[in-house]
Amino acid sequence: LARHFSSASAANPLGPPAFVFDIDGVLIRGRHTLPQAKQALARLYSPDGSQPRYPVAFLTNGGGVTERVKAHQLSEWLGVHVDESQVVLSHTPFRQLAAKFAHEPVLVAGRGQVREVARHYGFRHIVTTHQLTRAMPAAVPFHEDQGLFPGADLPVYTRELKYGSPQHPIRAIMVFTDPADWYRDLQLMTDVVLSRGMPGCWPPPAGAPPVEVYFSNPDMLWANEFTAPRFGQGAFSTCLDALHLKLTGEPLPHAHHFGKPHAAPYLLIERLLVQQAQQLGIEVQEPAEEAAMAVAEAGGVVSSSSSGGGSSSSSSSSSSSGSAQRVRTPLPFSAIYAVGDNPAADVRGANAAGSPWVSVLVTKTGVATENSTGDPAQVVVDDVEAAVEAGLHRAR
Ligand code: G3P
Ligand code: MG
C-alpha cells in the first residue's frame, strides 16, 4: 500500500485521486446492479476486495435504510467491502437535527424504514402519515386504509397516537425519502403546516409557532428500471409548495432543502474522504480527529477506526441555496472524481463544490443521455467503469 501511494505521491504531489459514486443510474437501476459497477470498484480495491486502495465514498439522494444497512447492500452488490463511514444518504445530515427536536414531535415521511432510521438518529417523538390516517380517517377520505376509527369525523388521539393533538403539536415535517402515497402525504402535510402542527384543530390557536419542513432530496427525476426517468422527491416538494401557494397565496414557508446539489452532503463527503486518507497512510494537513468531529457535526457516521465522533447538536447548513460556508483545509487529493447520472444533482453539486472536485457524467446508464448545457460535466463517459478508468488515467 505504501509503495502504491509513494508512486502516486511521486506522480501527484497533490496526493492520490478520490472517487465518489452516485448510486441510482450509476451503480444500479432499480433492483438490478449494473454489470460495469463491479469491475469499476474492483479497480479501486485490493484484489480480495477487502480494502480500498484509494479513498472511495458513496453519495446518494436515496435512502430509507441506515448507512450501515446501505453499506452492507453496496458490499453485496459490488463485491467489495463498504463501511458505513463511506456512505452518505439523502437523510444522513438529518442525524444532527435530532438534538434540535429531542423533545418535540416530528412527522417523519417517506418510503422504507424511515421510522427506524429516525429512531436510530435519536428522534424520539415520531409520528407518520400512516398513523395520522388511522387517527383521523375523515381527513383522508379517498384513502383505502380508513384506519382504527373509521367512523371518526375528527381526530381520535390516544396515548399511542397523541402527536398532532393540541397537547402535543407536531414541530417539524422531515421527508426522509420519496413518499409512496402522494395523495395522503400531500393532504396531511398541508393540514399539519396550515394547522401549525395540530391537524383537526382549526383555526390553530393564536401565536402557535410555524412547522419547519425538511426535504432530503431535490431530484425532480431519477433512473430506475423503467425506460424513462421517474419523479423524485423534488417533484413531491414542488407539489406541496404549489398547493400551499394556491391555498394561501404564499409559497411553503420554513422549508429547508438538503441533498445533492446542495453543499451539506459535499462537505460531509470531504471529511469522510480525509478520514479515509489518514487511514490509508496519506499525510493530511487536518488530523483525522478534526475530520471526525466535522463529520459528526455534519451528521455523518464517523469511521470506527478513528477517534472522536458521535452526533452533535450543531445546526445544519440547510440553506436552500446550498450556500453553506465552506471553510476548508486543503484536501490531500489530486482530484475527487464525482461520478453521477443526473446533471441537476450530481454535476451541479460537484461543479459548485469546486476544486479538487471533478464532475464526471455517465450518459448510457442513468438520467442523462448527453452532457448538459446548463450543468456541463468536466468529464463525460458512457458508464461507471469508463469513469474510473478516466480518473486513474488522469492520475498517472
Ligand atoms: O430516490 C433516489 C433518487 O432520487 C436518486 O438517487 O442515487 O441517483 O442520487 P441517486
Ligand atoms: Mg443517480
Side-chain angles (χ1 to χ4, degrees):
L1 199 55
R3 176 184 51 73
H4 171 81
F5 282 114
S6 63
S7 61
S9 56
N12 287 293
L14 299 175
F19 293 83
V20 178
F21 296 101
D22 170 40
I23 297 178
D24 290 296
V26 171
L27 302 173
I28 65 171
R29 285 289 296 256
R31 300 180 308 283
H32 306 298
T33 302
L34 293 169
Q36 306 91 330
K38 281 194 173 186
Q39 299 300 331
L41 271 293
R43 294 280 282 125
L44 302 176
Y45 268 72
S46 56
D48 65 357
S50 62
Q51 291 290 334
R53 297 190 304 130
Y54 295 85
V56 169
F58 300 86
L59 172 56
T60 176
N61 275 350
V65 292
T66 62
E67 290 76 11
R68 175 169 300 179
V69 168
K70 185 56 73 179
H72 179 73
Q73 289 174 348
L74 286 165
S75 300
E76 296 282 302
W77 296 339
L78 301 172
V80 296
H81 174 69
V82 178
D83 183 79
E84 63 180 314
S85 62
Q86 292 175 267
V87 176
V88 171
L89 303 173
S90 64
H91 43 70
T92 298
F94 283 1
R95 180 195 292 264
Q96 28 118 35
L97 290 167
K100 178 174 180 173
F101 295 103
H103 308 293
E104 312 264 21
V106 172
L107 172 61
V108 167
R111 294 163 42 246
Q113 301 155 18
V114 291
R115 268 184 75 84
E116 293 76 7
V117 174
R119 289 197 65 79
H120 175 67
Y121 285 0
F123 293 94
R124 287 294 170 265
H125 307 282
I126 299 166
V127 65
T128 63
T129 47
H130 173 71
Q131 289 176 301
L132 289 180
T133 302
R134 291 158 65 85
M136 50 184 85
V140 200
F142 308 137
H143 199 270
E144 65 275 1
D145 172 10
Q146 285 307 304
L148 284 178
F149 315 101
D153 293 347
L154 288 177
V156 177
Y157 291 109
T158 63
R159 194 166 56 82
E160 289 72 33
L161 286 177
K162 64 190 175 190
Y163 300 138
S165 65
Q167 295 71 32
H168 303 282
I170 293 165
R171 282 285 149 259
I173 294 171
M174 304 195 84
V175 187
F176 271 61
T177 60
D178 310 13
D181 185 334
W182 287 27
Y183 158 64
R184 176 192 65 189
D185 287 14
L186 288 170
Q187 176 67 76
L188 290 173
M189 287 185 195
T190 301
D191 292 332
V192 168
V193 168
L194 295 183
S195 67
R196 298 207 163 212
M198 298 165 262
C201 174
W202 191 260
V211 174
E212 302 290 328
V213 187
Y214 295 86
F215 297 104
S216 69
N217 161 7
D219 286 354
M220 286 300 288
L221 300 169
W222 66 290
N224 73 342
E225 306 92 328
F226 194 63
T227 52
R230 304 294 76 203
F231 283 152
Q233 191 185 138
F236 175 82
S237 63
T238 299
C239 293
L240 192 64
D241 187 63
L243 286 168
H244 192 278
L245 182 64
K246 195 79 173 171
L247 291 170
T248 68
E250 297 291 330
L252 186 67
H254 306 284
H256 308 270
H257 294 271
F258 285 75
K260 299 175 287 185
H262 302 303
Y266 290 87
L267 289 167
L268 188 46
I269 284 279
E270 286 178 0
R271 291 296 162 257
L272 292 178
L273 292 175
V274 167
Q275 276 201 322
Q276 282 185 52
Q278 178 110 18
Q279 291 155 16
L280 288 169
I282 301 166
E283 191 61 38
V284 295
Q285 279 188 30
E286 178 184 68
E289 293 69 26
E290 279 178 40
M293 279 170 5
V295 168
E297 281 169 12
V301 175
V302 177
S303 71
S304 48
S305 57
S306 72
S307 58
S311 61
S312 77
S313 59
S314 66
S315 64
S316 69
S317 57
S318 61
S319 147
S320 59
S321 63
S323 59
Q325 289 311 309
R326 183 183 291 281
V327 178
R328 280 171 31 183
T329 309
L331 297 167
F333 312 114
S334 52
I336 301 176
Y337 293 105
V339 186
D341 70 303
N342 184 343
D346 304 302
V347 174
R348 188 176 302 171
N351 289 348
S355 177
W357 287 85
V358 176
S359 53
V360 183
L361 181 68
V362 295
T363 58
K364 295 286 188 279
T365 61
V367 169
T369 54
E370 59 185 0
N371 200 1
S372 151
T373 50
D375 294 292
Q378 294 162 275
V379 178
V380 182
V381 290
D382 284 355
D383 56 42
V384 64
E385 194 173 4
V388 166
E389 289 309 324
L392 292 175
H393 179 72
R394 284 164 65 124
R396 286 189 193 107

